[in-house]
Amino acid sequence: MENKKRGILERLNAGEVVVGDGGYVLQLERRGYVKAGHWTPEAAVEHPEAVRQLHREFLRAGANVLQTFTFYCSEDKLEISGNVTNITGAQINEAACDLAREVANEGDGLVAGGVSQTPCYLNSQNETEVKAIFKKQMDDFLKKDIDFFMAEFFSYVEEAVWAVEVLKTSGKPVGATLCISPEGDMSGVPPGECAVRLVKAGADIVGVNCHLDPLTCIRTVKLMKEGLEKAGLKAHLMIQPLGFHTPECNHSGYLSLPEFPFALEARAMTRWDVHKYAREAYNAGIRYIGGCCGFETYHIRAISEELAAERGFLPPASEKHGLWGAGLQMHTKPWVRARARREYWENLLPASGRPTCPSMAKPDDE
Amino acid sequence: MENKKRGILERLNAGEVVVGDGGYVLQLERRGYVKAGHWTPEAAVEHPEAVRQLHREFLRAGANVLQTFTFYCSEDKLEISGNVTNITGAQINEAACDLAREVANEGDGLVAGGVSQTPCYLNSQNETEVKAIFKKQMDDFLKKDIDFFMAEFFSYVEEAVWAVEVLKTSGKPVGATLCISPEGDMSGVPPGECAVRLVKAGADIVGVNCHLDPLTCIRTVKLMKEGLEKAGLKAHLMIQPLGFHTPECNHSGYLSLPEFPFALEARAMTRWDVHKYAREAYNAGIRYIGGCCGFETYHIRAISEELAAERGFLPPASEKHGLWGAGLQMHTKPWVRARARREYWENLLPASGRPTCPSMAKPDDE
Amino acid sequence: MENKKRGILERLNAGEVVVGDGGYVLQLERRGYVKAGHWTPEAAVEHPEAVRQLHREFLRAGANVLQTFTFYCSEDKLEISGNVTNITGAQINEAACDLAREVANEGDGLVAGGVSQTPCYLNSQNETEVKAIFKKQMDDFLKKDIDFFMAEFFSYVEEAVWAVEVLKTSGKPVGATLCISPEGDMSGVPPGECAVRLVKAGADIVGVNCHLDPLTCIRTVKLMKEGLEKAGLKAHLMIQPLGFHTPECNHSGYLSLPEFPFALEARAMTRWDVHKYAREAYNAGIRYIGGCCGFETYHIRAISEELAAERGFLPPASEKHGLWGAGLQMHTKPWVRARARREYWENLLPASGRPTCPSMAKPDDE
Amino acid sequence: MENKKRGILERLNAGEVVVGDGGYVLQLERRGYVKAGHWTPEAAVEHPEAVRQLHREFLRAGANVLQTFTFYCSEDKLEISGNVTNITGAQINEAACDLAREVANEGDGLVAGGVSQTPCYLNSQNETEVKAIFKKQMDDFLKKDIDFFMAEFFSYVEEAVWAVEVLKTSGKPVGATLCISPEGDMSGVPPGECAVRLVKAGADIVGVNCHLDPLTCIRTVKLMKEGLEKAGLKAHLMIQPLGFHTPECNHSGYLSLPEFPFALEARAMTRWDVHKYAREAYNAGIRYIGGCCGFETYHIRAISEELAAERGFLPPASEKHGLWGAGLQMHTKPWVRARARREYWENLLPASGRPTCPSMAKPDDE
């Protein structure tokens, strides 16, 4: 039955909005299933019910794509992490594919097999070795039923290009996102040039994920778009930014913030921040719009609600959400009832309740 | 097998720390299963897997008690809410008992059947009518296997007293918490007097929940304790505060904050804030320590970790958590490695990333 | 000619508003004439033109009283300070009287001879010695033409009482202000009791000055008023608070703030803050309304402008001030013209331009 | 005797640091002598003692140059302002020259005759008319004893060039500063090109003044320097920035901030901020370093103290200032004594005492 679903490129080529899912590792860390530091995804084997539930939430929130919970799931990374002993990367990859598939089939979801940056690249920059790692992970996925591939969270476009080159051999569509700032990748390759290299390597969809807040990521994707246009190339654009406000970040992104990763709460976006983001991303021509670390279920729902007219429907989870605060209309306190309107939430400047804290930090990479 | 577990009073009488669970309605709102405004718990029937998963997270985080997901589950409230049509309160109450029981039995958990304030009380103040509502809910619970009762989220001590009087007829232990400030309940009864009335009505455990932040709630419980001591009464003390910073709140608590309920993110406590809270609550003589709205899984784990020495063990979810940031010791960035220590997180003043926002709001009830 | 002026008590007994002057030592420190730390007033001899100019500004801003620039001008304090070698306290006191008199006579100004707390009191608490110091200073003043005495900046009501007892022997009216918080003086005597003791000692006017912000000082004066009423005593009330926002201060006042004394800028009140203060002080029944450290010329003008209707006139310096921003009506930028109205300035929440700074500090005396 | 003083170019050519004076109009507005809005300098005639005193403070603080208090003192501006009726521009200009001269001769001060942007330029852009206005003002100055000319506060380089061309006919040295951002003047001419045009017109000293904070102004002057170097031109560099933090400002500078001009207090720089500024300006190769609006006497002293080693002396006003807080060493409170050191003040992040205010505003020109 799932093979009747329209594929990712079919949808994007038709001009549809594809809503991505949110962040898995940070959310599952908070739920007690992922260890911060190495952030490996052994929960797919150890606690499948927790991963399944988060997939299901994203699907209910309107996500069209569920990414396999396989972040950092290369053998070299798993070994360094020390987080797993009796479980192989292949076991995790395969279990993760099954979980994503199971939930995707509960609705109109596609499954993207995800690969990410490797320690091997940082240590060796050896193309053969790095590609072998991606090949191994790809082969795990190909034993299962996935719809397309996503190479994500790359700091160096070179490594991402290698990933794309490997994944393209599968014959499936490939997306690729870099975790870079508008200044470019860690080697100084500007976003426009990064996009060109990825598309030339075969990527069907390019964009950015993680490391920086939505408005900054939109700027980076715009630069990618300009680079592609100048080069006469075409590709679909995607974005999966942080769900945190990081206005003061530089090149290294939120890793350099003093609050990373255990005190980011005060930076979390509200659902109303996400409405603005989704609109701006759409206006920038981006059609694959999701989130990364910090994007929780209700943030994904907010994307779906902001773009409901463009998509033609609201997601299942909106049954439990009055648009723009409408659920407050019957509240017993008059001042709470007064919040049941769009203008209120759009213009609110939320206080932090932390009078001895600053509003901006000094990043450690300054 | 579950009847071999030591009961709530057995534990408290022995001087043990009992870790409570966190907040259900706000968290399940964010996960897409509860509608803000009336906050009713029909998800126990509609989406049991979501409720089960949240119970399981709290248990893994070290909670000794799982409260049935029956907040606002009186027939009068359900009817006003308009959130349910084909489901009765009895169905929800029974399903919720089963879910809590199922998960509690996966570990050393007790099940508390929860009742809360009713619209009927606000409208009629009629003791007979209000007690009938509590009686009905109690009877639902008594068809199932629960360990004790919890009357929570009462703004008026009078209504809480009525609830306790009804629940005591079950023969099971009864706890009672008010959502009040240090100034007292909404009729102006001071916390010390509230505690006395509850204990005289038969409550075995008294305290506060919701509406205000941890440090404010501790002040209120201390006043309760003083009141009991002056009256020569004894009871166990409990606390389940907000997981938000609300220093500027008055009597009405966080309902009066402009950010309630859809823009509270910046006020969320970090796990390190929870460490301080758990220690202060313990030092105040409180032994039943949990959380309410805003308390997520990792906040409950932080209570368990702060009081691990007193309890003698770490919870299962600590397998995925390096104490005090220890998981960062191997990070590739030196500045992130430097954060793998207690002093760092204890002294950090987290920035909000919101330079155009204030740090304190003007409550609407000023 | 100056002896035709109506005296301070004549004015206050008639129910008139008396506008006090602002702070001398902090302002003259910034202008380069006073040394922070011991804050002694040798500028009256060394740089009379600077003192004269500041007197003149306050007079133009509407002050009815010019206080002699004799803060901390007891021989024991001067000696400890090391700030003066060839100048005696008597020389400073006499020069200061002449300066205040000269400028007061340029308008409708009265001269108040000021004495303040002594190191002797802190070291010895010896009534005879301390009173001898006040007697000596009083005798300096009595060689000159002053209208009344002001005993100010006392942390202990006992020392203030001694000062009042000495100054009353002059036959002139005596005012007395304490630099205390609503909690009372440094011995724990509450404000109401402080006021009673001062009035019983002979003070005609009592109140507070310095150390805390306007709204806090108003609370303290209200407590003094209540104390006097309960004791069946009568006295005029006065207030000369800081020109800084110090919401987090405790007993020790702004000395305990990390910003004292060289980084207080961000806390400075705007003229609009002063409007609110002047109105609240007036509404509290206070009729002698001025300022202390941080109160600059334009702050005193703001008091005069807020209470112009009550006094029946605007001060000379209002010739150079459009009320409520009226002077912006012809600005070339439309957005600046839009600020030429009362609502704008009354509701503005001014930003600090300091995104890495907090809004509240932790006082050192916590 | 004053003609024995070494001239401005003699000093700058010798590589000396020239300390400028601070801001007159904002400070004299606060002192009650200038009306905000049109900011005209009639006080030079109406209240010479006030202008004289401010000159004297700046001189004592170490200023080598006193600029005549002739801001906006062209006949067309005076007429529009409505601030003066019986006084001509010539009278003000001449009185202002006398005042600056008188005080400059009390020390090692030079007098700079200042001209600024005209309404005529904005209305007509007519070179002949605008130059006639500058010629008239120059002729007023040449009746008096001034050392050099300063054309300042120009938003359009074209008008500044015209001013320089006129002033150069006097045979005296000419400095020129623009109130521009790093983006360039209001016609979009970039800073480097602005500097080139000014130097080609004959300016001996070029730089920026007003409108933006010190660090932003340094960036602009650096761009000017680069422009001159690329063009193979030489000139001395000067800077007289705001004494306010304005990190969020765009092209229009602080006029666009909601706080302009009556609620800027919280943005005021501390003396320690000025130390950093003076050092950075010096390191950027700027040798004429002063301030504009918001720069008070103690800020100028801070420049002199930071650059005391380079200049070889401390200014007279440092007699009343312990370096880096040394004056606090004998304070009675131990926590205040602990502030008598450089590290303390250099690292302090001052709180605003305004918890309901944001740290950054949204400029009106966004």
Side-chain angles (χ1 to χ4, degrees):
Chain A
M1 180 179 144
E2 67 273 12
N3 52 12
K4 295 187 189 163
K5 281 181 190 165
R6 298 164 59 244
I8 184 70
L9 296 181
E10 207 173 343
R11 297 175 194 218
L12 290 169
N13 289 337
E16 293 174 26
V17 173
V18 170
V19 174
D21 48 6
Y24 288 89
V25 293
L26 247 76
Q27 185 60 21
L28 288 173
E29 195 277 336
R30 291 189 175 177
R31 296 188 185 188
Y33 300 100
V34 164
K35 188 166 181 185
H38 288 294
W39 309 102
T40 50
E42 61 275 11
V45 171
E46 294 176 348
H47 297 283
E49 74 285 1
V51 178
R52 184 186 295 116
Q53 175 61 23
L54 188 51
H55 277 318
R56 189 171 282 144
E57 292 175 18
F58 288 139
L59 188 78
R60 270 177 55 78
N64 297 109
V65 177
L66 298 180
Q67 207 167 312
T68 56
F69 183 55
T70 53
F71 182 71
Y72 270 165
C73 198
S74 58
E75 294 290 351
D76 61 336
K77 179 67 181 178
L78 288 173
E79 192 181 324
I80 287 171
S81 77
N83 286 341
V84 284
T85 47
N86 302 321
I87 312 171
T88 65
Q91 285 175 302
I92 298 172
N93 285 323
E94 292 179 34
C97 287
D98 287 342
L99 286 167
R101 180 82 274 157
E102 173 191 346
V103 179
N105 287 355
E106 296 174 5
D108 182 36
L110 300 173
V111 172
V115 305
S116 45
Q117 60 175 241
T118 62
C120 179
Y121 178 80
L122 274 187
N123 295 335
S124 74
Q125 274 102 44
N126 183 303
E127 183 173 348
T128 309
E129 289 177 27
V130 172
K131 282 188 163 174
I133 290 172
F134 293 135
K135 174 72 165 58
K136 189 168 184 319
Q137 236 185 310
M138 180 181 70
D139 289 342
D140 294 341
F141 292 135
L142 291 176
K143 290 180 206 151
K144 298 290 179 175
D145 179 22
I146 66 159
D147 296 300
F148 66 102
F149 281 103
M150 182 62 61
E152 69 164 9
F153 196 70
F154 287 93
S155 302
Y156 295 88
V157 68
E158 181 180 56
E159 188 184 12
V161 162
W162 294 348
V164 170
E165 287 171 351
V166 170
L167 297 171
K168 281 304 286 185
T169 65
S170 70
K172 291 186 183 285
V174 175
T177 53
L178 308 178
C179 51
I180 64 172
S181 81
E183 295 174 57
D185 88 343
M186 293 303 270
S187 304
V189 184
E193 172 65 16
C194 286
V196 167
R197 293 193 196 174
L198 289 169
V199 173
K200 286 187 176 168
D204 304 287
I205 312 163
V206 296
V208 298
N209 85 318
C210 207
H211 270 198
L212 288 153
D213 62 20
L215 301 189
T216 308
C217 285
I218 290 174
R219 284 170 48 214
T220 310
V221 178
K222 281 181 175 175
L223 293 170
M224 288 183 152
K225 189 184 178 192
E226 288 172 23
L228 292 175
E229 285 168 358
K230 280 190 194 158
L233 293 172
K234 284 212 164 182
H236 297 293
L237 300 171
M238 75 176 282
I239 185 165
Q240 298 203 285
L242 293 183
F244 301 112
H245 291 277
T246 66
E248 69 272 61
C249 276
N250 302 313
H251 211 58
S252 316
Y254 82 144
L255 297 182
S256 69
L257 291 176
E259 294 85 10
F260 175 86
F262 297 127
L264 289 161
E265 282 80 353
R267 295 178 177 273
M269 298 179 73
T270 66
R271 58 197 75 192
W272 320 115
D273 292 329
V274 173
H275 273 268
K276 288 184 195 169
Y277 150 63
R279 181 55 53 194
E280 287 210 30
Y282 182 85
N283 288 345
I286 305 169
R287 288 296 175 269
Y288 188 141
I289 302 172
C292 197
C293 299
F295 256 82
E296 302 187 22
T297 305
Y298 71 110
H299 293 120
I300 296 299
R301 179 175 61 192
I303 300 175
S304 300
E305 293 186 349
E306 176 63 28
L307 298 173
E310 285 78 5
R311 297 174 89 201
F313 60 91
L314 280 169
S318 291
E319 289 165 22
K320 296 293 176 186
H321 193 235
L323 292 181
W324 293 106
L328 307 177
Q329 274 158 355
M330 302 292 291
H331 202 276
T332 52
K333 303 280 184 195
W335 66 70
V336 177
R337 287 200 296 275
R339 300 173 192 158
R341 57 198 171 84
R342 179 169 178 164
E343 291 71 22
Y344 180 83
W345 296 108
E346 278 191 326
N347 294 307
L348 181 69
L349 294 168
S352 67
R354 293 171 155 87
T356 60
C357 293
S359 62
M360 298 236 272
K362 300 205 181 181
D364 279 327
D365 64 344
E366 267 197 345
Chain B
M1 180 181 141
E2 67 274 14
N3 52 11
K4 294 186 188 164
K5 281 182 192 165
R6 297 164 60 246
I8 185 70
L9 295 181
E10 207 173 344
R11 297 176 193 216
L12 290 169
N13 288 337
E16 292 175 27
V17 173
V18 169
V19 174
D21 48 5
Y24 288 88
V25 292
L26 246 77
Q27 185 60 20
L28 288 173
E29 195 278 337
R30 291 188 175 178
R31 296 188 184 188
Y33 299 99
V34 165
K35 189 166 182 185
H38 289 293
W39 309 102
T40 49
E42 62 275 10
V45 170
E46 294 175 349
H47 296 283
E49 73 286 0
V51 178
R52 184 187 295 117
Q53 175 60 23
L54 188 52
H55 276 318
R56 189 172 281 142
E57 292 175 19
F58 288 139
L59 188 77
R60 270 177 55 77
N64 296 111
V65 177
L66 297 181
Q67 205 166 316
T68 56
F69 183 54
T70 53
F71 183 71
Y72 271 163
C73 198
S74 58
E75 292 290 352
D76 62 335
K77 180 67 180 176
L78 289 173
E79 192 180 324
I80 287 171
S81 78
N83 285 341
V84 284
T85 47
N86 303 321
I87 312 172
T88 64
Q91 284 175 303
I92 299 172
N93 284 324
E94 292 178 34
C97 287
D98 287 343
L99 286 167
R101 181 83 275 157
E102 173 192 346
V103 179
N105 288 355
E106 295 175 7
D108 182 37
L110 299 173
V111 173
V115 304
S116 44
Q117 61 175 237
T118 62
C120 178
Y121 178 79
L122 273 186
N123 296 335
S124 74
Q125 273 103 45
N126 182 305
E127 184 173 348
T128 309
E129 289 177 28
V130 173
K131 283 189 163 174
I133 290 172
F134 293 134
K135 175 73 165 55
K136 190 168 183 319
Q137 238 186 308
M138 180 180 71
D139 289 343
D140 294 341
F141 292 136
L142 291 175
K143 291 181 207 152
K144 297 291 177 174
D145 179 22
I146 66 159
D147 296 299
F148 66 100
F149 281 103
M150 182 63 60
E152 69 164 8
F153 196 69
F154 288 94
S155 302
Y156 294 89
V157 68
E158 181 180 58
E159 188 183 11
V161 162
W162 295 348
V164 170
E165 288 171 349
V166 170
L167 297 171
K168 281 303 286 184
T169 65
S170 69
K172 291 187 183 283
V174 174
T177 52
L178 308 178
C179 52
I180 63 172
S181 80
E183 296 174 58
D185 88 343
M186 294 302 270
S187 304
V189 184
E193 172 65 16
C194 288
V196 167
R197 293 194 197 175
L198 290 169
V199 172
K200 287 188 175 168
D204 304 287
I205 311 163
V206 297
V208 298
N209 84 319
C210 207
H211 271 199
L212 288 154
D213 62 20
L215 301 189
T216 307
C217 285
I218 290 174
R219 284 170 46 216
T220 310
V221 178
K222 282 181 173 175
L223 293 169
M224 288 182 153
K225 189 184 178 192
E226 288 172 24
L228 292 175
E229 286 168 357
K230 280 190 195 158
L233 294 172
K234 284 212 164 181
H236 297 293
L237 300 172
M238 75 175 283
I239 186 167
Q240 299 203 286
L242 292 183
F244 301 112
H245 291 277
T246 65
E248 68 272 61
C249 276
N250 302 314
H251 211 58
S252 316
Y254 83 144
L255 298 181
S256 69
L257 291 177
E259 295 84 10
F260 176 84
F262 296 127
L264 289 161
E265 282 80 353
R267 296 179 176 272
M269 298 180 74
T270 67
R271 58 196 74 191
W272 321 116
D273 293 328
V274 173
H275 273 269
K276 289 184 195 168
Y277 149 64
R279 181 56 53 194
E280 287 210 29
Y282 182 85
N283 288 344
I286 306 168
R287 287 297 175 270
Y288 186 142
I289 302 171
C292 197
C293 299
F295 257 81
E296 301 187 23
T297 306
Y298 69 110
H299 294 120
I300 296 299
R301 179 174 61 190
I303 299 174
S304 300
E305 294 186 347
E306 176 63 28
L307 298 173
E310 285 78 4
R311 297 175 89 200
F313 59 90
L314 280 169
S318 291
E319 290 166 21
K320 297 294 176 185
H321 193 234
L323 292 181
W324 293 106
L328 306 178
Q329 273 158 355
M330 303 292 291
H331 201 275
T332 52
K333 304 281 184 194
W335 67 70
V336 177
R337 285 199 297 276
R339 300 173 193 159
R341 58 200 171 83
R342 178 169 177 163
E343 291 72 20
Y344 180 83
W345 295 108
E346 278 192 326
N347 294 306
L348 181 69
L349 293 169
S352 67
R354 293 171 157 87
T356 61
C357 293
S359 62
M360 300 236 272
K362 300 205 180 178
D364 278 327
D365 64 343
E366 266 194 347
Chain C
M1 180 181 144
E2 68 274 13
N3 52 11
K4 294 187 187 161
K5 282 181 192 165
R6 297 164 60 245
I8 184 69
L9 296 181
E10 207 174 343
R11 297 175 194 217
L12 289 169
N13 288 337
E16 292 175 27
V17 173
V18 169
V19 174
D21 48 5
Y24 288 89
V25 294
L26 246 76
Q27 185 60 20
L28 289 173
E29 196 277 335
R30 291 187 175 180
R31 295 187 185 188
Y33 299 100
V34 164
K35 189 166 181 183
H38 289 293
W39 309 102
T40 49
E42 60 276 10
V45 170
E46 293 176 350
H47 297 282
E49 72 286 0
V51 178
R52 184 186 296 116
Q53 175 60 24
L54 188 51
H55 277 318
R56 189 171 281 143
E57 292 175 18
F58 288 140
L59 187 77
R60 271 177 55 77
N64 297 111
V65 177
L66 298 180
Q67 206 166 315
T68 56
F69 182 55
T70 53
F71 182 71
Y72 270 165
C73 198
S74 60
E75 293 291 352
D76 62 334
K77 178 69 180 175
L78 288 173
E79 193 179 322
I80 287 171
S81 76
N83 286 341
V84 284
T85 47
N86 302 320
I87 312 172
T88 65
Q91 285 175 303
I92 298 172
N93 285 323
E94 292 179 33
C97 287
D98 287 344
L99 286 167
R101 179 84 273 156
E102 174 192 343
V103 178
N105 288 355
E106 294 175 6
D108 183 37
L110 299 173
V111 173
V115 304
S116 45
Q117 61 176 241
T118 63
C120 179
Y121 178 80
L122 274 187
N123 295 335
S124 74
Q125 275 103 45
N126 182 305
E127 182 173 349
T128 309
E129 288 178 28
V130 172
K131 282 190 163 175
I133 290 171
F134 293 134
K135 174 73 166 55
K136 189 168 184 319
Q137 236 185 312
M138 179 181 71
D139 290 342
D140 294 341
F141 291 136
L142 291 176
K143 291 181 205 152
K144 298 292 179 176
D145 180 21
I146 66 158
D147 295 301
F148 65 101
F149 281 103
M150 183 63 60
E152 68 164 9
F153 197 70
F154 287 94
S155 302
Y156 295 88
V157 67
E158 180 180 59
E159 188 183 12
V161 162
W162 294 348
V164 169
E165 287 171 350
V166 170
L167 297 171
K168 281 305 284 185
T169 65
S170 70
K172 291 185 184 287
V174 174
T177 53
L178 307 178
C179 51
I180 64 171
S181 81
E183 296 173 57
D185 88 342
M186 294 302 271
S187 304
V189 184
E193 172 65 16
C194 287
V196 166
R197 293 193 197 174
L198 290 169
V199 172
K200 286 188 175 167
D204 304 288
I205 311 162
V206 296
V208 298
N209 84 319
C210 207
H211 270 197
L212 288 154
D213 62 19
L215 301 190
T216 307
C217 286
I218 289 174
R219 284 170 47 214
T220 310
V221 178
K222 282 181 174 175
L223 292 170
M224 288 182 152
K225 189 184 177 191
E226 288 172 23
L228 292 175
E229 286 169 357
K230 280 189 194 159
L233 294 172
K234 283 213 164 180
H236 298 291
L237 300 172
M238 75 176 283
I239 186 166
Q240 299 204 284
L242 293 183
F244 301 111
H245 291 277
T246 65
E248 68 272 61
C249 277
N250 302 313
H251 211 58
S252 316
Y254 82 143
L255 298 181
S256 69
L257 291 176
E259 296 83 11
F260 175 84
F262 295 128
L264 290 161
E265 281 81 354
R267 294 178 178 272
M269 299 179 73
T270 66
R271 60 196 73 191
W272 320 115
D273 293 328
V274 173
H275 273 268
K276 288 182 194 168
Y277 149 63
R279 180 56 53 194
E280 287 210 28
Y282 182 85
N283 289 344
I286 306 169
R287 288 297 176 270
Y288 186 140
I289 302 171
C292 197
C293 299
F295 256 82
E296 302 188 22
T297 305
Y298 70 109
H299 294 120
I300 296 299
R301 180 175 60 192
I303 300 175
S304 300
E305 293 186 349
E306 177 63 27
L307 298 173
E310 286 77 5
R311 297 174 88 201
F313 60 91
L314 281 169
S318 291
E319 290 166 22
K320 297 293 176 186
H321 193 235
L323 292 182
W324 293 105
L328 306 177
Q329 274 157 356
M330 302 292 291
H331 201 277
T332 52
K333 303 281 184 194
W335 67 69
V336 178
R337 286 199 296 276
R339 299 172 194 160
R341 57 200 172 84
R342 178 168 177 165
E343 291 72 22
Y344 180 83
W345 296 108
E346 278 191 326
N347 294 307
L348 181 70
L349 293 168
S352 67
R354 293 170 155 87
T356 60
C357 293
S359 62
M360 300 236 272
K362 300 205 181 180
D364 279 326
D365 62 345
E366 266 194 348
Chain D
M1 179 180 144
E2 67 273 13
N3 53 10
K4 295 188 188 162
K5 282 180 190 164
R6 298 164 60 245
I8 184 70
L9 297 182
E10 208 174 342
R11 298 175 193 217
L12 290 169
N13 288 337
E16 293 175 25
V17 173
V18 169
V19 174
D21 47 6
Y24 288 88
V25 293
L26 247 76
Q27 185 59 21
L28 288 173
E29 195 277 337
R30 290 186 175 179
R31 296 187 185 189
Y33 300 100
V34 164
K35 189 166 181 185
H38 289 294
W39 309 101
T40 50
E42 62 276 10
V45 170
E46 294 176 349
H47 297 283
E49 73 285 1
V51 178
R52 183 186 296 116
Q53 175 60 24
L54 188 51
H55 276 318
R56 189 171 280 142
E57 292 174 18
F58 287 140
L59 187 78
R60 269 177 56 78
N64 297 111
V65 177
L66 297 180
Q67 205 166 316
T68 56
F69 183 54
T70 53
F71 182 70
Y72 270 164
C73 198
S74 60
E75 293 290 351
D76 61 334
K77 179 67 179 177
L78 289 173
E79 192 180 323
I80 287 170
S81 77
N83 285 341
V84 285
T85 46
N86 301 322
I87 312 171
T88 64
Q91 284 175 303
I92 299 172
N93 285 324
E94 292 179 33
C97 287
D98 287 343
L99 285 167
R101 181 83 274 157
E102 174 192 343
V103 178
N105 287 356
E106 294 174 5
D108 183 35
L110 299 173
V111 173
V115 304
S116 46
Q117 61 175 240
T118 62
C120 179
Y121 178 79
L122 273 187
N123 295 334
S124 74
Q125 275 102 46
N126 182 306
E127 182 172 352
T128 309
E129 288 178 27
V130 172
K131 282 189 163 175
I133 289 171
F134 292 135
K135 175 72 165 57
K136 190 167 182 319
Q137 237 185 309
M138 178 180 71
D139 289 343
D140 295 340
F141 292 136
L142 291 176
K143 289 181 205 152
K144 298 293 179 175
D145 180 21
I146 66 159
D147 296 301
F148 66 101
F149 282 103
M150 182 63 61
E152 69 164 8
F153 197 68
F154 287 94
S155 302
Y156 294 89
V157 68
E158 181 179 57
E159 189 184 12
V161 162
W162 293 348
V164 170
E165 287 171 350
V166 170
L167 297 171
K168 281 304 285 184
T169 64
S170 70
K172 291 185 183 289
V174 174
T177 52
L178 308 178
C179 50
I180 64 172
S181 81
E183 296 173 57
D185 88 344
M186 293 301 271
S187 304
V189 184
E193 172 64 16
C194 287
V196 167
R197 292 193 198 175
L198 289 169
V199 172
K200 286 188 175 168
D204 304 287
I205 311 162
V206 297
V208 297
N209 84 319
C210 208
H211 270 198
L212 288 154
D213 63 20
L215 301 189
T216 308
C217 285
I218 290 174
R219 285 170 46 215
T220 310
V221 177
K222 282 181 173 174
L223 293 170
M224 287 182 153
K225 190 184 177 190
E226 288 172 23
L228 293 174
E229 286 168 357
K230 279 189 194 159
L233 293 172
K234 284 213 164 181
H236 298 293
L237 300 172
M238 74 176 284
I239 186 166
Q240 299 204 284
L242 292 183
F244 300 112
H245 291 278
T246 65
E248 68 272 62
C249 276
N250 302 313
H251 211 58
S252 315
Y254 82 144
L255 297 182
S256 69
L257 291 176
E259 295 84 10
F260 176 85
F262 295 127
L264 290 160
E265 282 81 354
R267 295 178 176 271
M269 299 179 72
T270 67
R271 58 196 75 192
W272 321 115
D273 292 328
V274 173
H275 272 269
K276 289 183 194 169
Y277 150 63
R279 182 54 55 194
E280 287 211 29
Y282 183 85
N283 288 345
I286 307 170
R287 288 295 176 271
Y288 186 141
I289 301 171
C292 198
C293 299
F295 256 82
E296 301 187 24
T297 306
Y298 70 110
H299 294 121
I300 296 299
R301 179 174 61 192
I303 301 175
S304 300
E305 293 186 347
E306 176 64 27
L307 298 173
E310 286 79 3
R311 296 175 89 201
F313 59 91
L314 280 169
S318 291
E319 291 165 20
K320 298 292 176 186
H321 193 234
L323 293 181
W324 293 105
L328 306 177
Q329 275 158 354
M330 303 292 291
H331 202 276
T332 52
K333 303 281 183 195
W335 66 71
V336 177
R337 287 200 296 276
R339 301 173 192 159
R341 58 199 173 84
R342 179 169 177 164
E343 291 72 20
Y344 180 83
W345 295 107
E346 278 190 327
N347 293 308
L348 181 69
L349 293 169
S352 67
R354 292 170 158 87
T356 60
C357 293
S359 63
M360 300 237 270
K362 300 205 180 179
D364 279 326
D365 63 344
E366 265 194 349

